[in-house]
Amino acid sequence: MMQQTVPNTVFERIRGDIGQNDVVLYMKGTAVFPQCGFSAAVVQVLSQLGVKFKDINVLEDNEIRQGIKEFTNWPTIPQLYIKGEFVGGCDIVREMYATGELQQLLESKGVSFNQAA
Amino acid sequence: MGMDAQTIEKMIKDGIPDAVVNISDLRGDGDHYAAYIVSEAFRGKSRVQQHQMVYAALQGKMGGELHALAIQTAIPE
């Protein structure tokens, strides 16, 4: 992978976002207007679970778009963070939702969601 | 753009020698694949770590030349 030197201000910005918000989704587009199927799929999972989250549109911020991939050594968007911890991209979030692991993780981290989902 | 299934399979096997790889072309456009990968090397690792091993095997192709590869990893029974 072409190793761009990412100014650490980007990492600081990222740490700020994932530190101040329980659930953060780096995505293409916004929660209301996702602009990529994979991002939309994660938004759908979070909405079905009634989880409040901060959406960050990487399409409007190229520095974050590159920085977030370096930050987690994860090459794609979307990326979901819960309590500052990288949970995964679309595949992992959907798999965890299907097996109930995502609900367990939310519960263990004290993040509210509607149990019925 | 895009990669063919054989190249993807070969890269994954080069990177994870014992992997059993099953690739399906989701849309037949050479750009949207799903890969189911079983390997002993995944044992004891989190899903994120398992997927990162697959991305490493794909040597930076993921997210660039290879737009969409849905990954599912598993440990041999």
Side-chain angles (χ1 to χ4, degrees), chain A residues 63-80:
Chain A
E63 217 184 31
I64 286 280
R65 183 173 186 176
Q66 292 317 321
I68 195 68
K69 294 177 184 175
E70 310 250 344
F71 186 74
T72 39
N73 181 28
W74 189 265
T76 56
I77 302 290
Q79 294 189 18
L80 180 65

Side-chain angles (χ1 to χ4, degrees), chain B residues 30-51:
Chain B
D31 213 14
H32 293 77
Y33 291 99
Y36 182 74
I37 304 146
V38 182
S39 166
E40 188 53 42
F42 293 147
R43 197 176 296 279
K45 293 198 168 58
S46 70
R47 272 201 189 84
V48 168
Q49 289 165 332
Q50 293 173 17
H51 286 220

Side-chain angles (χ1 to χ4, degrees), chain B residues 1-66:
Chain B
M1 278 291 276
M3 285 166 67
D4 61 64
Q6 291 72 22
T7 311
I8 297 169
E9 186 171 342
K10 184 181 179 311
M11 289 184 86
I12 293 173
K13 283 189 170 162
D14 289 350
I16 309 173
D18 77 321
V20 174
V21 183
N22 180 305
I23 295 188
S24 47
D25 187 338
L26 295 177
R27 296 194 194 148
D29 60 4
D31 213 14
H32 293 77
Y33 291 99
Y36 182 74
I37 304 146
V38 182
S39 166
E40 188 53 42
F42 293 147
R43 197 176 296 279
K45 293 198 168 58
S46 70
R47 272 201 189 84
V48 168
Q49 289 165 332
Q50 293 173 17
H51 286 220
Q52 281 173 326
M53 286 169 68
V54 175
Y55 288 147
L58 291 170
Q59 294 155 22
K61 292 274 193 290
M62 188 61 219
E65 205 175 310
L66 187 53

